[in-house]
Amino acid sequence: MSSGEFSNAIIIGYDGERWASSDEMTAMAMSERKELAGLWKDKAGSRKKGFSVLGKKYACKTIDDDLLVGAGSEGLVVGYKSDEAITLGVVTKGQPQGLATIQIVGLGEYFKQNGY
């Protein structure tokens, strides 16, 4: 997975297992992946607690039925929950955040349309 809009990206199942990722995201701990997969179970708690990606903390700015947006000191995290997977992109400061969000949502919608 690679795109000029993302510094890193990963696709995980709800069990936290990695389906695909950029090279650096292979280092994302299973505990972080499971935490990420569980964010939608308690949206209010997730907004208060935030989450981590590669050891960096992000405030949970938006979480609805599908979309997750987190903000941190180094940039933005955009996630999208489909039927069986979560697609996540890390956008560093200076990268086009709007286009990154469109791409993550588009990939998530593609997964939904194809039963994933």
Side-chain angles (χ1 to χ4, degrees), residues 12 24-25 33 35 52 58 85 88 103:
I12 61 170
E24 190 174 331
M25 290 298 265
R33 296 192 312 256
E35 176 188 31
S52 296
Y58 292 87
L88 184 84
Q103 289 180 339

Side-chain angles (χ1 to χ4, degrees), residues 12-104:
I12 61 170
Y14 290 164
D15 58 0
E17 288 297 322
R18 184 173 58 90
W19 290 15
S21 71
S22 58
D23 290 339
E24 190 174 331
M25 290 298 265
T26 60
M28 187 176 183
M30 175 61 91
S31 60
E32 286 183 333
R33 296 192 312 256
K34 285 185 175 183
E35 176 188 31
L36 183 68
L39 290 175
W40 279 269
K41 292 178 185 172
D42 178 14
K43 294 175 193 169
S46 297
R47 285 185 193 97
K48 291 178 186 175
K49 182 181 171 196
F51 58 95
S52 296
V53 174
L54 295 175
K56 296 174 184 155
K57 189 75 173 164
Y58 292 87
C60 186
K61 296 295 186 183
T62 300
I63 186 165
D64 62 22
D65 291 341
D66 303 315
L67 183 66
L68 167 72
V69 178
S73 62
E74 297 182 25
L76 186 76
V77 171
V78 179
Y80 194 83
K81 181 175 142 287
S82 59
D83 295 339
E84 295 183 15
I86 297 163
T87 307
L88 184 84
V90 179
V91 185
T92 56
K93 286 186 178 178
Q95 292 176 300
Q97 296 176 350
L99 184 55
T101 301
I102 290 168
Q103 289 180 339
I104 288 293

